[in-house]
């Protein structure tokens, strides 16, 4: 036997639900229209209030100081003022320092007041005066037992920063005595008691805070049972207020402890990072100096060896030498051999590196810059060499340092600005050799550009080596981003005697 009742329920239920949903939607939409209209009407007032408190987000249009063009507005409504160029000889208008919004000024002033010594005495005195003013509102005389309890429950808060626990004992004891004696509870004394619990929970350890919470709840329960001072306040509200004050103080203490721990950890991390960076930089300097020393040994050892050989062979190749001259050449040869021995003994420590193999190839000079440019192009780079001035042979040390500076600069360009156009310039300036390597900071990808401002940090060790080479020779070195884009490395090396060593 079938019935139409289930079908009716299935049809009526969803239909009624849809009707109710439509009614709720219509009412809500009407309320939204009303609130939107009220908001639009009040928008000028709220904008002025926000501007008065927080300052203007967009500066108002001002007349140009030299009669320039008026302000103009972009399509989105933002106002901009064209900055006119002052006429010749006219002094530029003094720059106005930005004004701090009023609300921020008030907040800063209150923070400074809260950090001063007068904060505790002033706020405690204000709370005591408020308690005395509240007494007549409850038809209680000021000079009475209620007035004495009111002062005892508020005035000690003036000394809460210097002696929190003794002041808290007086405040809470006076409040409990006034409630147990049947005195009417005041808003100011109740606030003083809750604020005292908050301060204690903020300062005491976690275990002591738990004991304080249990004792406070028991004390409030005893007051409810033994007197009628809190009859006008629901017992649930009284217990909740006490527990909330203690809980807020404990939460504040937890937050401050966590912030202090985070600050200490951040400070330790910063110190560790600083020490690590200093150690890495020192290691880079030492490694680069060792490499420079080894290269200079190869250069100087050749010259000293030539001096020793020529001094030893001079008595045999030069006739009619006096005994004094022969003795002098012998002393020169002996001194040269001693210098070589000392240099080899000193460089033995520098050469003793794990996995390092002795260098047997001759040290490069500036006549091999063409090969260096070709190898840079073969690695996918684009470089061009320009020589200015009168090119001439220089000392091996100068040419080796200039070659290494160019080599390191090209390596950095391939690493940090792949595909960039690199210009290598050598300028012979009489008593100096100027080396300049620049690139245009080409893009790595169609939508990604090289950050030349951060390249100094990325290639710091290479810059250390180049700077060490220039300064050890008495020259100058500079490196950094170019205003027009890209990176520049510049060095000036003193030439000294313009001959090969």
């Amino acid at each position: 036997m079938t019935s139409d009742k289930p079908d009716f329920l299935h049809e009526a239920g969803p239909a009624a639900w849809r009707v109710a949903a439509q009614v709720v939607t219509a009412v809500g939409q009407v309320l939204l229209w009303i609130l939107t209209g009220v908001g639009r009407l009040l928008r000028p007032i709220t904008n002025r209030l926000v501007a008065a408190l927080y300052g203007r987000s967009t500066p108002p249009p001002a007349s140009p100081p030299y009669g320039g063009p008026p302000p103009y507005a972009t399509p989105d409504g933002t106002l901009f003022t064209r900055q006119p160029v002052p006429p010749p000889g006219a002094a530029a208008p003094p720059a106005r320092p930005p004004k701090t919004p009023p609300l921020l000024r008030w907040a800063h002033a209150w923070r400074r007041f809260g950090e001063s010594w007068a904060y505790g005495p002033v706020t405690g005195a204000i709370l005591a005066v408020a308690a005395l003013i509240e007494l007549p509102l409850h038809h209680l005389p000021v000079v009475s037992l209620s007035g004495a309890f009111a002062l005892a429950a508020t005035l000690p808060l003036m000394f809460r920063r210097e002696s929190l626990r003794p002041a808290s004992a007086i405040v809470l004891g006076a409040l409990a005595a006034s409630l147990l004696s049947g005195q009417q509870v005041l808003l100011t004394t109740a606030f003083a008691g809750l604020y005292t619990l908050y301060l204690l929970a903020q300062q005491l350890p976690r275990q002591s805070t738990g004991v304080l919470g249990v004792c406070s709840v028991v004390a409030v329960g005893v007051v409810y049972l033994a007197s009628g001072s809190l009859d006008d306040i629901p017992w649930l509200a009284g217990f909740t207020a006490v527990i909330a004050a203690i809980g807020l103080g404990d939460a504040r203490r937890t937050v401050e402890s966590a912030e202090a721990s985070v600050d200490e950890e951040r400070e330790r991390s910063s110190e560790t990072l600083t020490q690590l960076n200093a150690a890495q930089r020192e290691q880079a300097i030492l490694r680069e100096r060792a490499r420079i020393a080894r290269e200079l040994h190869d250069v100087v050892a050749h010259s000293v060896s030539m001096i020793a050989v020529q001094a030893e062979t001079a008595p045999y190749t030069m006739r009619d030498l006096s005994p004094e001259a022969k003795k002098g050449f012998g002393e020169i040869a002996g001194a040269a051999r001693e210098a070589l021995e000392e240099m080899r003994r000193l460089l033995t420590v520098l050469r003793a590196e794990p996995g390092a193999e002795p260098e047997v190839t001759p040290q490069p000079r500036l006549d091999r810059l063409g090969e260096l440019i070709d190898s840079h192009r073969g690695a996918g780079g684009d470089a061009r060499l320009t020589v200015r001035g009168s090119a001439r042979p220089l000392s091996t040390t100068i040419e080796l340092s200039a070659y290494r500076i160019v080599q390191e600069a090209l390596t950095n360009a391939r690493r940090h600005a792949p595909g960039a156009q690199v210009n290598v310039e050598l300028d012979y300036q009489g008593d100096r050799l100027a080396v300049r390597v620049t690139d245009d900071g080409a893009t790595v990808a169609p939508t990604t550009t090289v950050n030349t401002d951060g390249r100094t940090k990325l290639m710091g060790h290479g810059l250390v080596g180049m700077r060490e080479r220039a300064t050890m020779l008495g020259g100058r070195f500079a490196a950094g981003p170019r205003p027009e884009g890209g990176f520049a490395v510049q060095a000036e090396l003193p030439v000294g005697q313009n001959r090969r060593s």
Side-chain angles (χ1 to χ4, degrees):
M1 183 176 181
T2 61
S3 175
D4 295 334
K5 187 174 182 180
D7 295 337
F8 173 77
L9 289 177
H10 283 292
E11 293 177 358
W17 182 262
R18 287 195 298 270
V19 171
Q22 292 175 357
V23 171
V24 171
T25 303
V27 173
Q29 188 64 45
V30 171
L31 291 177
L32 285 177
W33 287 340
I34 295 174
L35 293 176
T36 303
V38 173
R40 290 181 179 178
L41 292 176
L42 297 179
R43 183 174 298 173
I45 300 176
T46 57
N47 289 342
R48 291 183 180 180
L49 181 61
V50 170
L53 294 177
Y54 293 95
R56 296 179 180 272
S57 58
T58 303
S63 58
Y66 301 106
Y72 65 95
T74 58
D76 59 354
T78 305
L79 291 177
F80 289 93
T81 302
R82 297 181 177 91
Q83 299 296 329
V85 179
R96 295 181 179 180
K99 293 184 178 180
T100 305
L103 189 61
L104 294 181
R105 290 201 303 269
W106 300 339
H108 294 164
W110 179 257
R111 186 181 296 109
R112 290 194 298 270
F113 173 64
E115 295 174 352
S116 65
W117 69 270
Y119 176 76
V122 171
T123 53
I126 291 175
L127 189 61
V129 172
L132 295 179
I133 294 175
E134 187 181 1
L135 288 172
L137 299 179
H138 296 279
H139 306 288
L140 297 174
V142 175
V143 182
S144 62
L145 185 60
S146 298
F149 279 132
L151 287 178
T154 55
L155 203 59
L157 289 177
M158 296 176 59
F159 309 98
R160 63 185 182 273
R161 284 191 170 180
E162 292 77 13
S163 304
L164 176 60
R165 295 187 182 185
S168 301
I170 298 175
V171 171
L172 296 178
L175 181 60
S178 65
L179 294 177
L180 290 174
S181 61
Q183 303 296 325
Q184 184 175 359
V185 62
L186 301 179
L187 181 61
T188 50
T189 56
F191 172 77
L194 295 176
Y195 182 61
T196 302
L197 293 176
Y198 168 80
L199 293 178
L200 286 174
Q202 186 178 350
Q203 298 293 332
L204 294 177
R206 178 63 58 83
Q207 185 176 2
S208 300
T209 302
V211 174
L212 175 65
V214 173
C215 294
S216 300
V217 171
V218 171
V220 172
V222 171
V223 171
Y224 271 108
L225 296 176
S227 68
S229 301
L230 298 178
D231 290 343
D232 296 335
I233 301 175
W235 63 269
L236 182 60
F239 287 129
T240 302
V242 172
I243 295 175
I246 298 176
L248 288 175
D250 183 72
R252 177 64 181 272
R253 179 183 57 80
T254 303
V255 170
E256 290 180 351
S257 300
E259 290 178 352
S261 300
V262 170
D263 293 339
E264 292 177 358
E265 184 65 25
R266 185 182 297 113
E267 184 176 357
R268 286 196 299 268
S269 300
S270 178
E271 293 178 356
T272 303
L273 184 60
T274 302
Q275 295 174 358
L276 180 60
N277 291 337
Q280 290 178 348
R281 182 177 179 85
E282 187 67 23
Q283 291 177 0
I285 292 176
L286 293 177
R287 287 195 300 268
E288 192 63 30
R289 285 183 177 178
R291 196 177 84 172
I292 294 173
R294 290 195 300 271
E295 293 178 350
L296 291 179
H297 166 263
D298 295 336
V299 174
V300 177
H302 172 72
S303 301
V304 176
S305 300
M306 291 297 298
I307 293 173
V309 171
Q310 291 178 0
E312 289 177 347
T313 58
Y316 303 100
T317 57
M318 301 176 65
R319 298 178 179 180
D320 301 331
L321 283 178
S322 63
E324 291 79 5
K326 293 180 179 180
K327 181 180 179 181
F329 278 116
E331 292 178 353
I332 293 174
R337 286 194 299 270
E338 290 180 2
L340 282 175
E341 290 297 330
E342 290 294 334
M343 187 177 298
R344 289 193 181 98
R345 189 179 301 112
L346 187 62
L347 267 293
T348 300
V349 180
L350 297 177
R351 290 184 182 274
E353 294 182 358
E357 297 181 359
E359 299 178 6
V360 296
T361 58
Q363 297 298 334
R365 303 177 68 117
L366 291 180
D367 55 4
R368 296 180 56 186
L369 274 184
E371 301 176 7
L372 185 62
I373 297 295
D374 292 339
S375 62
H376 178 77
R377 292 170 180 167
D382 187 5
R384 180 178 58 187
L385 174 62
T386 304
V387 179
R388 296 188 177 90
S390 178
R392 57 191 181 277
L394 303 177
S395 66
T396 306
T397 306
I398 297 296
E399 292 198 8
L400 173 62
S401 299
Y403 181 91
R404 293 302 188 195
I405 290 174
V406 174
Q407 184 181 38
E408 185 67 31
L410 291 175
T411 301
N412 288 331
R414 288 196 302 271
R415 183 182 307 167
H416 303 290
Q421 171 68 42
V422 182
N423 295 320
V424 179
E425 302 176 9
L426 295 180
D427 190 1
Y428 292 85
Q429 300 177 354
D431 62 341
R432 289 183 176 271
L433 172 64
V435 181
R436 178 180 172 87
V437 182
T438 60
D439 63 73
D440 57 2
T443 58
V444 179
T447 59
T448 304
T449 59
V450 175
N451 185 7
T452 57
D453 293 335
R455 201 190 302 181
T456 304
K457 296 181 180 180
L458 293 175
M459 54 190 241
H461 292 176
L463 295 181
V464 169
M466 289 187 277
R467 182 176 289 107
E468 285 294 322
R469 290 183 180 277
T471 55
M472 286 180 65
L473 297 175
R476 294 183 296 178
F477 178 82
R482 304 167 61 198
E484 62 271 18
F487 203 81
V489 173
Q490 304 177 75
E492 289 187 2
L493 307 178
V495 171
Q497 295 181 353
N498 299 332
R499 61 179 181 83
R500 289 182 182 267
S501 60

